[in-house]
Structure formats: C-alpha cells, structure tokens
Amino acid sequence: MNEREQSWIVSAKLLYTAYMNRMINELVSRSAARKLHCCLGIGLFLVGVGIGLSGCTITRNWDGPQVELVDDGDGAIESGMYREMPYIMASIDGREPMKFLFDTGANLNVLFTKTANQLETKSIGKIGVNGASGLTKTLPIAFIDELTFGPVKMNDMAFLVHDLSERLSFMSTNTDIAGIIGIRGLEEFTIDIDYPNKQVSITQERLDLDDPSTSVMYRRPGGLLMVPVQFVDPDLSEYHRVVWCLLDTGNTNKFDLHTDIAAALIDQDKITSGHRTMGIHGIDQLVDVGPIRTDMRIGDVRFEGMNASVSDVESRLDSSTLRNFHLKIDMKSELVSFSRPDSAHRLVSASRMGITNLWLHDGYRIDQSITDSPAHLLGIRAYDEVLLINGVEPELMHVKTPYWSVSPDAISVTLRIRRSSDDGWVDVVLPIDGSVEGIEQQSPINGESNGVQFKYTNEDGEIIRGRMTPMDPEGVE
C-alpha cells in the first residue's frame, strides 16, 4: 500500500469514526441506564447477516464478558474448517469441548437449540431480532458462567438460542456443530486464522503497518470489523477506489458488493441472476452475480477477473474469498493482515480461462470446462487430469478455488493435461484474459467435442462410467 492509499484510508476511517462517536454519545445520553438493549450494541450481526434488536424484554445490565488469559503459550486453539468456514473447540462450564463455527461477522454467540437443550441452558428472556431481509424473529437469550477456548476464558457470556442448524440444510447434516462464537470479548487480542493449515489462534501479537500485507481497519458500533478492499483499473493508472467491507468468516456464499457500489464496479452486461443464497432465517434468496470490471486488491494480493454477488445489505469479504489466506486481526491496534503461504501477489480467474476449478480424485482433475471458452475450444474437458500448472505440480491450494497464482508479468497459463481419452499428455496454453484470438494455432486435445468418456473405481470398488460435458457459462458463479 503506497502513502497516498494509506493516507486515504486513514482519513476515511477518522471521518467515519468521528461521525459514529457523535451518534453513540447521543444515544448513550438518551439512556443513562444502559440496559441490555444498549449494551449489546447498536447493530448485532449474526452469521454474516446484519440484525438489530427490537422489542427487548430484558432489563439486566451487561457490559460484556469478563475475560481472562489462562495460557500464555502460542495461542493455538483446537480448530479446523467446516465447509471453508473456521471452527473452534470450546468448553461451556467445564464440560467436554464442542465444535463452534468461528464467525468474525458475529458480535454475539449462538447456541443452537439442540445444544441448549443438551446443556439444559435456561434463557432469561427474549429479544426481537431484525433480519437483513426485513423479517423480525424473537430469540431467547441466555448467559453462560464460563466459556473457554484456547488460551481464553470468558465469564458471564451472552448467547442467543436459535434453531438455525435445523433451518440451514448444510448445517443440519452436521450434528456436531454446537453453535457460533463471535468476536465479543476478544477486543484486546489478535485473531489468527490460517486457512491453508486450518488453524485458529488467539494471540497478543501486534501487527505493524510497515508490513505491506497489513492495512488499517476499524470496528464499527457493535464491534464488527470493517476492512479496506481496493479496486484499481490496470488501464487507468489514476483509478483507485477503496470499499470498506464487513470481514465475515461465517459467510461462504461469495464476495458481496453493496448494490450502489456494484452498479459502478460490476460489468452490468455480464450479470447473471438466480444464484441461490440463504439468510439468517433459513429463507432462500436469489441474487445477481457478475464480473468486477477492475482488478481488486486485498492486502498486497491482486485479484484479476473476480466475480461478486450484489447485496442490498452491505459489502462483505467472506471465507470463500480468503480460503488460501493467512488472516491476522489485531483487534487492539485495529490492524489487519492478509498474506498467503505461497507468497502469491497476483491471482487470476480460472473461470475466465474456461475452467471452473480443480477437484481431487486420483489426481488433480478438471471440474468443468465452460462452453466457448479458451479451455473448451482447445479441447479441455471435465475429468482431464492436470499434471502441471506453469511447470509446477498442482497442490491443495488449487482445489475448489477459482483463482490461481501467477507471476506479475504473466499473460498466459500453461497446463499439462493427461487426457482422459488415453494415457498421453499435452501442454495447453490458456490466455489469462480469456481471449480466444490466436488459440487456433494450438491443436485441440480430446476427440470428443461434446464431452469425454471416463471410467474410474470408487471407494466401494465399483466401476463408474459416464460422460463429462462442457458447462454452460450461465451456470458459472
């Protein structure tokens, strides 16, 4: 980040902070009692969707949990990833640790109803929760004497009780997810989420702006984290825009841009509709998705050919975008770091070249090729095995991700393909910008124009035969 960009971000942060501090002071002056509905924050956020309080029936004062550091080690928590979202193992009132999704887009914790019943947790009242879709839901709220995860112990922690796990189909199939833990109580710590190594840690490390991967962030009222995402046009050196996005590790739908911002940054002629997403109340929503006109920068990593969904709620940076990043959030210093273990500084869209992503099955395989794309026109088909990418063997960081790392001056990506139709291999050169001009100089591989035949043995020893066909570009997200 250069000095001009850094100055712009700091100025914007200061202006916003000054405005919101004035608003908070006005609100506090109107309610000196600071009952629970004030103390919980101006706007609660639950699993990535903004919610606010209404019809609060509780009068208990609560200024947040009492936090204690019980281990001064490396801060590592027993943790992992579930559907690309981080989870941690946490203990309630000294019981056996349970699995909780760890969500930076939540400032209150959630106990799923089944967990609350199992723990015989008693609620002390209910609060009205306003969802992003405009619906209001009344939820019980309970207080836990002791919550422990990794080096941190919190006493007197509030939990909403919600049947969300029964409403979200992907959650209901995993019965050992006990709930959601947000960022409340971690204001003095650094949250460390290492996506490639599936590790979450809570440390006292302080970040430094001298590191090019580090940027300023701010905590808005309610405590949620807003981080800067930069948009730059490679053809217009003066074009530079910073969009403040909610950092939301509990969301894996897609990178979101607010409607007004999307109108300026997304190519309106290439937007497709009908992409399914699910909100806090378990209600399906269909959203628009389209390619961003400009390059995008997160930390010092540049994305080219990024897609985004259009949101009427807010801009949101999610776990699917950060799946190969090492994320550090210095809550106390209000700094955030985005780095990658492969030291990548430029990521290009595989879908723009015509490949949805790779998957792992007895080798790294093409998931789908997109009709009329460079990959499709050159004969690449689903289930073709990728032996090399730019002369290097693929790795797990290439699986299920639509963005591949390339050198700063690269104009193409070379794939060495083992054809599914025989045992041979061939190098295929794909233009990074998705252009089909000049690719006729290469001979297409695979004789099947409408898909390739395949055969493999599954885990049960069964012989599976079929035909993989190209993917319609309308179905690509």
Side-chain angles (χ1 to χ4, degrees):
M1 183 184 299
N2 60 40
E3 291 183 1
R4 179 174 67 88
E5 295 165 356
Q6 195 176 102
S7 175
W8 194 101
I9 294 173
V10 171
S11 298
K13 176 195 169 187
L14 292 174
L15 286 172
Y16 185 92
T17 302
Y19 170 77
M20 292 312 301
N21 283 341
R22 179 170 62 84
M23 296 299 293
I24 293 170
N25 289 335
E26 290 181 5
L27 286 172
V28 171
S29 66
R30 295 173 191 170
S31 179
R34 300 191 64 181
K35 300 301 184 182
L36 181 64
H37 62 279
C38 291
C39 298
L40 292 183
I42 295 173
L44 294 181
F45 276 80
L46 178 59
V47 284
V49 180
I51 64 176
L53 299 181
S54 67
C56 182
T57 62
I58 306 167
T59 57
R60 177 190 162 175
N61 291 321
W62 188 67
D63 290 317
Q66 290 79 53
V67 182
E68 178 184 352
L69 189 66
V70 295
D71 182 358
D72 58 359
D74 61 4
I77 305 172
E78 184 181 355
S79 52
M81 294 287 163
Y82 173 66
R83 291 181 176 262
E84 300 179 347
M85 295 178 287
Y87 71 80
I88 61 176
M89 302 300 293
S91 172
I92 290 179
D93 293 337
R95 299 173 185 248
E96 286 295 316
M98 296 180 290
K99 184 184 295 184
F100 288 83
L101 295 179
F102 185 67
D103 184 6
T104 61
N107 66 353
L108 268 189
N109 301 334
V110 179
L111 278 180
F112 293 153
T113 304
K114 59 181 177 60
T115 308
N117 293 338
Q118 175 187 343
L119 298 175
E120 299 181 343
T121 302
K122 304 298 183 183
S123 66
I124 66 167
K126 294 184 176 182
I127 57 174
V129 179
N130 298 323
S133 61
L135 298 177
T136 298
K137 187 176 182 66
T138 300
L139 296 179
I141 188 168
F143 285 83
I144 300 299
D145 290 336
E146 180 181 293
L147 171 68
T148 305
F149 51 92
V152 176
K153 181 172 72 172
M154 300 183 182
N155 296 320
D156 194 30
M157 172 57 86
F159 275 82
L160 298 176
V161 180
H162 197 355
D163 60 353
L164 183 65
S165 64
E166 301 168 14
R167 293 175 174 268
L168 298 181
S169 57
F170 75 84
M171 199 85 74
S172 62
T173 58
N174 194 307
T175 57
D176 63 346
I177 299 290
I180 299 164
I181 288 180
I183 58 175
R184 192 66 181 264
L186 298 175
E187 292 81 5
E188 298 296 314
F189 298 96
T190 290
I191 300 167
D192 185 316
I193 304 176
D194 186 343
Y195 280 90
N197 291 316
K198 302 180 180 180
Q199 178 63 55
V200 179
S201 304
I202 303 297
T203 74
Q204 297 187 83
E205 176 188 3
R206 300 275 79 91
L207 301 182
D208 191 331
L209 275 175
D210 289 339
D211 183 340
S213 68
T214 301
S215 308
V216 296
M217 67 172 193
Y218 70 85
R219 286 183 287 164
R220 70 188 189 194
L224 295 184
L225 312 175
M226 304 300 291
V227 298
V229 176
Q230 302 176 65
F231 295 87
V232 293
D233 192 327
D235 299 322
L236 297 173
S237 58
E238 294 302 314
Y239 184 87
H240 177 258
R241 181 169 185 173
V242 176
V243 176
W244 290 92
C245 301
L246 174 68
L247 183 56
D248 188 2
T249 61
N251 176 32
T252 59
N253 288 326
K254 190 176 289 294
F255 175 67
D256 289 344
L257 282 175
H258 185 265
T259 306
D260 296 338
I261 298 171
L265 292 176
I266 292 181
D267 188 337
Q268 301 299 301
D269 294 333
K270 296 181 180 179
I271 283 182
T272 56
S273 302
H275 299 267
R276 180 173 176 246
T277 183
M278 186 169 285
I280 184 62
H281 296 293
I283 296 176
D284 288 344
Q285 295 177 324
L286 299 179
V287 299
D288 295 341
V289 173
I292 298 175
R293 302 175 188 269
T294 68
D295 293 349
M296 184 177 95
R297 284 213 302 259
I298 300 175
D300 62 347
V301 179
R302 187 175 82 200
F303 289 78
E304 298 176 24
M306 182 80 172
N307 287 325
S309 59
V310 182
S311 170
D312 58 2
V313 181
E314 65 182 320
S315 299
R316 182 184 290 114
L317 182 59
D318 71 321
S319 274
S320 68
T321 306
L322 299 173
R323 62 164 62 89
N324 287 323
F325 279 77
H326 189 170
L327 168 66
K328 294 183 180 182
I329 307 164
D330 185 343
M331 300 278 283
K332 187 173 183 177
S333 305
E334 297 198 7
L335 298 175
V336 61
S337 170
F338 302 95
S339 62
R340 286 175 57 102
D342 59 358
S343 300
H345 296 288
R346 183 187 178 201
L347 302 176
V348 298
S349 169
S351 63
R352 192 159 62 176
M353 294 180 278
I355 296 170
T356 54
N357 54 62
L358 301 185
W359 59 290
L360 192 60
H361 181 87
D362 190 27
Y364 292 88
R365 304 283 182 173
I366 299 291
D367 175 55
Q368 293 283 354
S369 61
I370 302 169
T371 303
D372 296 330
S373 68
H376 172 242
L377 295 175
L378 289 173
I380 293 177
R381 297 294 182 263
Y383 202 68
D384 280 341
E385 183 179 2
V386 179
L387 303 176
L388 301 174
I389 300 176
N390 286 336
V392 180
E393 291 185 2
E395 54 184 351
L396 288 176
M397 292 184 69
H398 289 103
V399 174
K400 296 182 180 179
T401 178
Y403 302 101
W404 295 351
S405 171
V406 298
S407 62
D409 56 351
I411 61 173
S412 63
V413 170
T414 301
L415 301 184
R416 176 162 292 182
I417 301 290
R418 175 177 284 144
R419 297 174 297 215
S420 58
S421 52
D422 58 38
D423 290 329
W425 60 263
V426 64
D427 285 339
V428 182
V429 180
L430 301 176
I432 286 174
D433 63 2
S435 171
V436 298
E437 295 181 8
I439 63 172
E440 67 276 0
Q441 299 176 18
Q442 302 180 65
S443 299
I445 65 173
N446 289 320
E448 298 284 349
S449 60
N450 294 316
V452 296
Q453 295 178 345
F454 67 88
K455 179 180 74 173
Y456 68 91
T457 304
N458 67 14
E459 295 178 352
D460 298 325
E462 300 172 320
I463 302 297
I464 306 298
R465 293 181 174 85
R467 181 182 295 273
M468 297 289 191
T469 58
M471 187 173 184
D472 192 300
E474 292 295 319
V476 179
E477 297 190 1

